Amino acid sequence: MACAPGPDPLGDSRGDERPKWDNKLQYVLSCVGFAVGLGNIWRFPYLCQSHGGGAFLIPYLIALAFEGIPLFHMELAIGQRLRQGSVGVWTAISPYLGGVGLGSLTLSFLISLYYNTVLSWVLWYLLNSFQQPLPWGSCPLDVNQTGFVKECEGSSTVSYFWYRQTLNITADINYSGSVQWWLLVCLAACWAVIYLCVIRGIESTGKAIYFTALFPYLVLTIFLVRGLTLPGAAEGLTFLFTPNIQTLRSPRVWLDAATQIFFSLSLASGGHIAFASYNPSRNDCEKDAVIVALINSMTSLYASTVVFSVLGFKAASDYGRCLDRNILSLTNEFDFPDQSISRENYAAILTHLNATQTETVVGLHLESCCLQDFLDKSASGTGLAFIVFTEAILHMPGAPVWAVLFFITLFTLGLSSMFGNMEGIITPLLDMEVLPRWVPKEAMTGAVCLVCFLSSTCFTLQSGNYWLEIFDNYTASLNLIIFAFMEVVGVIYVYGTEKFCDDIAWMTGRRPGFYWRMTWKVVSPLLLLTVLTAYMVVMIPTTMSYRAWDPQYKQFPLRQEKPYPGWVQAVCVLLSLLPALWVPTVALAQWLSQRRRKQESVQQDTRLKLQDSVAC
Amino acid sequence: MLWLLFFLVTAIHAELCQPDAKNAFKVRLSIKTALGDKAYTWDANEEYLFKAMIAFSMRKVPNRGTTDISHVLVCNVTQRVSFWFVVTDPSKNYTLPADEIQLAVRMNRNRINNAFSLNDQTLEFLKIPSTLAPPTDPSVPIWIIIFGVIFSIVIVAITLLVLSGIWQRRRKNKGPPEVDDAEDKCENTITIENGISSDSLDMKGWHVNDTFVTEDERLTPL
């Protein structure tokens, strides 16, 4: 090693070839942007409300303290120390653990496929928000122009716009239908935007992240101010935060809290390791980990406040309109003067009428209006964003403005998470030197984006949404927990706790304390094992089924529960296991090649001994 | 005087206008909903205007050009405000067919609405469906326009970045060649230990992972 130690500048200049962050802020914003994603807006509020409101924060914070932050710190530390992407890091710790890196790479690839498809839907809605009135506010006319399309009248304008005019969904997953050109075009645009941002790796994402990571906070604040001033916001917030300690008795709540913190921080997918690998070696990764994790959790809470104040407004206005419909029925039937029944005296008048003219009132088939029922209709995932929220926005004054702001926020949130996913793919590929050195980085990233785009066109088919739900439910869940478990075990027991603590002491200037060592050695592995077993116990018995949108269904607009056909179930199982299979495969390959090398060197030994003896 | 005549006519022809009578239509107005504070009360004068509008609409139907206000009968006015009306022929013996009245009202719905400052929802003719407004589709959907703008900006930006990258690389290649040679020599002599290139591990305080000293070193050939 003639050159490396001698003049440090040469050693440094070789290290300089690895790109680095322009400043610390870029790095922190990238980590925050990767961690804060669509799940903070549409998964956490739903979980929080359905699992006992304020009481959910207890298991959530426990999971954060004993699982989220320690694992996060560990990922940042090893990435920063070994200065490689996920594949390089795990191969460096132990060649037998190289499979963890490859599995993370595969997982990042699969996740980016469906994540960007969701972004393309957000883009489609964003493009359609620049008009007044909003297109999801009214049903289109039918062929004769005498009435509205039946499917739309049977469900609702927003559902129709989502299921028919956006997805054009088939009634069954077996019928794939054709590629929807508008979705394909939006998907191409999304991948073009991703390519534009990751074209030079962190050089380009580092510039883009200033906007994509900070803009959502600005818009969330605007929405918060607007949301809190809407009527009904208070009911929504009370509904969200009212604690119900009884729910904590159900193990499902703890499992959901643990998995939520896990997926929310985007652990074990290789993205954070990639980001940290571009850091200077002497950087306080412990402080970074705690800061980013706390920002992520606070953003979740902030977003929940916004979401539920708007949902409270929606519930209140739905309730008001339900009352108005009943009032109109009564007014028309009994010929009361127009506007004589107000929402306040409706109940009194109804009881009076029920007593005096029971038959007529019963014949009217009045809806039962209950505010709690409307509040209970909260949703999560795409249902929240594209159905519930869009309907809420329709009733806000100045609807197109709010729609544009909302979808730009979702787009930038998803974009910054995509940067992390893409770096989880690109950095290991660059480190493994898959392509020869003379191929420019722009071509490499372009090839990756192109392959991802072509692979994700399957989600633009008419049955694409069903496939996306499959990917969402089965790819990430089990694999990420397995990888996280292997990560902790790999670093603590294979690499060695003491060596790891020495490394951190060198990087940050202080040794990790008792809390860190205890969580790394005992608590986190145990928690992960528990989550893993609980997950398998919960997932395996459940029948694999999906909910199909079928206008011919008797109980339309309810979605029909259908079981997955056999071949689809096989795909689900494959998706759940394939990335994790890298671990035993690589370990086996490594063991076989070691054995072969040992055999060859033994053979060489015996041959040399024979030569010596012959010579003597 | 007019009031007397009005009551006289309704008294004589009361049986022609009844709720659910043949060729009768129910009308429902929601004035307060439409106008709020500026709502007017429904009185006999408004009724007279209504009859005039119906007579006017009927006069536009072929063969009914002689319809007069006195041919329009209104009955069962409630507080809602709702009432029934029929249109009789000049002899006032029978009512005109519902189809003609429906046609007349539909053709002039807008004028009738405007006369009362109401719209299709607040001035309802039950059993006469209103023609829905045709969709105002612009020739090019708006989303395509915005998409075109965004996409072209992105493509232009990508092209610029790629071109600038090529240009930078060409400049670096033409640039100082000596430094490159020295670096190349160093790269060749930097050994690879344990499959990890040593440059990735900082020398100051780096701990060798002894477990993975390769077994080759233990089995050194003689």
Side-chain angles (χ1 to χ4, degrees), chain A residues 76-98:
Chain A
L76 293 186
I78 49 173
Q80 194 174 293
R81 187 74 193 82
L82 300 173
R83 312 199 82 211
Q84 296 261 302
S86 55
V87 177
V89 151
W90 295 109
T91 322
I93 289 187
S94 154
Y96 290 100
L97 282 182

Side-chain angles (χ1 to χ4, degrees), chain A residues 223-480:
Chain A
F223 255 101
L224 186 73
V225 172
R226 172 76 269 214
L228 289 178
T229 52
L230 287 169
E235 281 87 8
L237 287 177
T238 353
F239 183 60
L240 170 68
F241 284 123
T242 315
N244 178 11
I245 306 280
Q246 307 303 320
T247 53
L248 293 186
R249 293 215 196 117
S250 149
R252 189 66 207 245
V253 173
W254 295 86
L255 178 64
D256 278 340
T259 46
Q260 170 61 17
I261 197 64
F262 198 75
F263 301 139
S264 181
L265 284 172
S266 309
L267 296 171
S269 60
H272 286 298
I273 299 181
F275 282 152
S277 69
Y278 297 115
N279 266 341
S281 288
R282 285 186 183 271
N283 173 53
D284 195 343
C285 52
E286 176 183 337
K287 207 167 62 164
D288 296 338
V290 175
I291 288 179
V292 171
L294 286 180
I295 291 181
N296 177 52
S297 294
M298 293 208 290
T299 310
S300 291
L301 283 172
Y302 197 53
S304 323
T305 316
V306 173
V307 166
F308 267 87
S309 54
V310 176
L311 288 184
F313 159 72
K314 174 177 187 294
S317 77
D318 283 348
Y319 173 66
R321 269 178 293 123
C322 176
L323 283 182
D324 286 342
R325 282 196 295 273
N326 284 353
I327 289 176
L328 195 64
S329 302
L330 283 179
T331 317
N332 287 344
E333 182 64 29
F334 293 103
D335 282 323
F336 292 133
D338 190 24
Q339 301 266 329
S340 56
I341 308 179
S342 70
R343 289 182 188 173
E344 286 79 34
N345 56 20
Y346 162 76
I349 293 185
L350 182 64
T351 23
H352 170 75
L353 284 174
N354 237 345
T356 50
Q357 312 221 29
T358 326
E359 275 182 27
T360 338
V361 172
V362 167
L364 282 178
H365 299 295
L366 295 176
E367 304 168 49
S368 64
C369 300
C370 173
L371 182 62
Q372 197 60 29
D373 290 341
F374 289 111
L375 281 172
D376 280 333
K377 283 204 193 118
S378 60
S380 77
T382 52
L384 176 75
F386 300 123
I387 298 183
V388 176
F389 224 79
T390 44
E391 194 177 342
I393 287 179
L394 279 177
H395 301 296
M396 289 161 81
V401 173
W402 299 107
V404 167
L405 279 179
F406 177 63
F407 288 115
I408 288 189
T409 311
L410 285 188
F411 192 71
T412 44
L413 277 173
L415 203 64
S416 49
S417 298
M418 276 302 292
F419 293 162
N421 281 323
M422 296 307 288
E423 279 303 324
I425 305 174
I426 292 173
T427 307
L429 287 179
L430 281 176
D431 292 335
M432 289 196 298
E433 291 184 10
V434 167
L435 294 177
R437 205 172 272 273
W438 51 265
V439 174
K441 189 189 264 195
E442 287 90 337
M444 220 276 262
T445 46
V448 170
C449 287
L450 189 65
V451 167
C452 289
F453 166 60
L454 293 174
S455 313
S456 54
T457 47
C458 64
F459 294 119
T460 56
L461 292 169
Q462 287 180 263
S463 55
N465 190 34
Y466 300 134
W467 284 105
L468 198 128
E469 281 171 3
I470 290 178
F471 268 69
D472 193 18
N473 288 334
Y474 293 100
T475 340
S477 16
L478 209 59
N479 289 308
L480 284 180

Side-chain angles (χ1 to χ4, degrees), chain B:
Chain B
M1 243 316 260
L2 215 58
W3 291 73
L4 230 76
L5 198 65
F6 179 73
F7 286 128
L8 208 63
V9 168
T10 39
I12 294 170
H13 300 287
E15 65 275 11
L16 280 179
C17 176
Q18 274 178 31
D20 292 321
K22 189 162 171 254
N23 299 330
F25 287 95
K26 184 168 180 183
V27 180
R28 191 190 291 146
L29 291 99
S30 311
I31 308 173
K32 247 194 170 169
T33 314
L35 301 171
D37 288 335
K38 303 200 193 88
Y40 49 82
T41 25
W42 185 261
D43 55 13
N45 297 331
E46 306 285 345
E47 247 184 70
Y48 192 80
L49 177 59
F50 179 79
K51 288 200 235 181
M53 292 306 296
I54 296 293
F56 159 75
S57 312
M58 289 309 296
R59 286 167 90 104
K60 291 224 169 147
V61 173
N63 297 335
R64 299 288 173 203
T66 52
T67 317
D68 196 43
I69 285 185
S70 55
H71 300 153
V72 182
L73 307 175
V74 166
C75 52
N76 275 69
V77 184
T78 65
Q79 268 193 319
R80 170 63 182 81
V81 174
S82 68
F83 49 84
W84 291 81
F85 78 94
V86 288
V87 183
T88 61
D89 74 314
S91 71
K92 299 202 180 115
N93 285 332
Y94 59 90
T95 53
L96 296 183
D99 297 339
E100 286 187 26
I101 303 182
Q102 206 180 62
L103 178 69
V105 167
R106 287 186 79 175
M107 268 175 25
N108 301 287
R109 189 64 188 267
N110 234 14
R111 302 285 297 271
I112 301 176
N113 285 351
N114 286 340
F116 293 97
S117 314
L118 299 171
N119 59 30
D120 280 357
Q121 280 77 46
T122 40
L123 170 57
E124 299 168 74
F125 287 83
L126 304 185
K127 290 194 287 178
I128 303 184
S130 44
T131 326
L132 299 161
T136 51
D137 279 338
S139 52
V140 180
I142 296 182
W143 73 269
I144 291 188
I145 300 174
I146 304 178
F147 172 81
V149 169
I150 296 180
F151 200 50
S152 15
I153 294 178
V154 169
I155 296 293
V156 164
I158 290 178
T159 325
L160 283 177
L161 278 175
V162 168
L163 287 178
S164 81
I166 297 176
W167 184 62
Q168 259 178 18
R169 217 156 305 159
R170 227 171 267 166
R171 246 187 31 172
K172 221 185 355 171
N173 282 347
K174 286 196 208 121
E178 311 88 46
V179 177
D180 282 353
D181 286 338
E183 278 188 5
D184 282 340
K185 276 202 217 118
C186 280
E187 283 175 30
N188 288 338
T189 47
I190 288 178
T191 52
I192 309 291
E193 284 190 6
N194 301 353
I196 313 162
S197 48
S198 59
D199 53 277
S200 71
L201 305 162
D202 200 308
M203 296 312 295
K204 305 177 203 158
W206 170 59
H207 295 264
V208 179
N209 197 347
D210 292 320
T211 339
F212 291 107
V213 169
T214 55
E215 299 171 336
D216 297 342
E217 292 185 16
R218 274 193 238 127
L219 307 165
T220 43
L222 291 171

